[in-house]
Amino acid sequence: GKTVDCKNTIVIMTSNLGARDNENNNIGFAQSLEKTGSEDRALKDFFRPEFRNRIDAVCKFSKLDTLAIKKIVVKFIDELKASLTSKNISITLAETVIDHLVEVGYDPRMGARPLSRKIDELIRVPLSRKILFEDLHDCSVRVLRLGDEIQFIVEDLSRAEAKIDEKGYIVLEQFKPKS
């Protein structure tokens, strides 16, 4: 029941209009996904002219490059790290694991959406099982890729020894694998 003045408002809307038509554009071997104008046709088919005439601009996005996809993987891993802080668990992924997630989790037609599912499948679920069944807490987990397999190396933080070097810096001795 409230009245709102939208005179100085910018409304940003997102959609996947035209994505289905672009999927059909990728036919044959070694052809890249290209914009063909099907997005404009999809916009015209979906929205009535009265609404389209009130849209000031339409921004079309290209497919993501590898660096952007890696940043998305890191964002998802940072969210996972935040959820592990209550158990005092830190997690570090090797660059090869991030590259593998980019390779298997990104689909040019679907964008970065499948990345979350692949991270769940390859990292979050196996790590959750380790936390539940091996009672992990107060540890550091390194995620490595050896061959086609992703491995979790758990290092017990409570058994790390801190020493002070000749410059006065605190140095943690090599972590001992948790048994």
Side-chain angles (χ1 to χ4, degrees):
K2 293 185 179 182
T3 303
V4 178
D5 180 11
C6 293
K7 202 181 323 178
N8 298 315
T9 302
I10 297 173
V11 178
I12 299 174
M13 301 177 291
T14 62
S15 81
N16 287 338
L17 291 174
R20 187 176 343 124
D21 295 331
N22 272 338
E23 236 178 83
N24 298 333
N25 183 29
N26 199 13
I27 298 172
F29 297 108
Q31 279 187 306
S32 62
L33 190 64
E34 296 178 9
K35 303 271 183 196
T36 60
S38 61
E39 306 88 8
D40 296 332
R41 190 172 51 255
L43 188 72
K44 288 178 182 175
D45 291 344
F46 190 79
F47 292 116
R48 298 182 66 168
E50 297 85 7
F51 181 77
R52 287 195 320 264
N53 289 335
R54 288 173 172 78
I55 296 175
D56 292 328
V58 175
C59 300
K60 299 174 190 171
F61 293 94
S62 302
K63 70 177 189 171
L64 299 171
D65 64 352
T66 305
L67 180 61
I69 301 165
K70 282 185 178 185
K71 287 180 180 180
I72 294 169
V73 169
V74 170
K75 175 192 166 286
F76 285 134
I77 296 303
D78 285 345
E79 290 172 2
L80 175 61
K81 284 180 182 180
S83 69
L84 295 171
T85 55
S86 64
K87 288 197 164 282
N88 197 24
I89 298 173
S90 65
I91 184 171
T92 309
L93 273 71
E95 188 72 26
T96 56
V97 175
I98 292 173
D99 292 340
H100 180 66
L101 290 169
V102 167
E103 182 182 319
V104 299
Y106 176 72
D107 179 5
R109 286 179 237 138
M110 297 295 292
R113 286 182 185 86
L115 268 175
S116 178
R117 288 188 292 274
K118 199 48 89 169
I119 290 170
D120 284 349
E121 176 189 329
L122 298 176
I123 308 293
R124 189 181 303 263
V125 171
L127 182 61
S128 299
R129 286 189 180 123
K130 280 190 157 309
I131 291 170
L132 285 173
F133 298 118
E134 296 177 20
D135 191 33
L136 294 185
H137 54 82
D138 300 323
C139 62
S140 175
V141 178
R142 287 185 301 146
V143 184
L144 306 172
R145 183 169 180 235
L146 301 172
D148 289 338
E149 191 177 320
I150 292 183
Q151 293 188 345
F152 297 86
I153 309 297
V154 179
E155 300 166 329
D156 192 349
L157 293 178
S158 63
R159 296 192 309 183
E161 297 178 21
K163 294 184 180 179
I164 299 177
D165 69 0
E166 64 276 354
K167 295 180 183 176
Y169 293 111
I170 298 173
V171 178
L172 289 177
E173 290 295 313
Q174 182 68 31
F175 289 114
K176 298 160 187 81
K178 193 169 185 166
S179 25

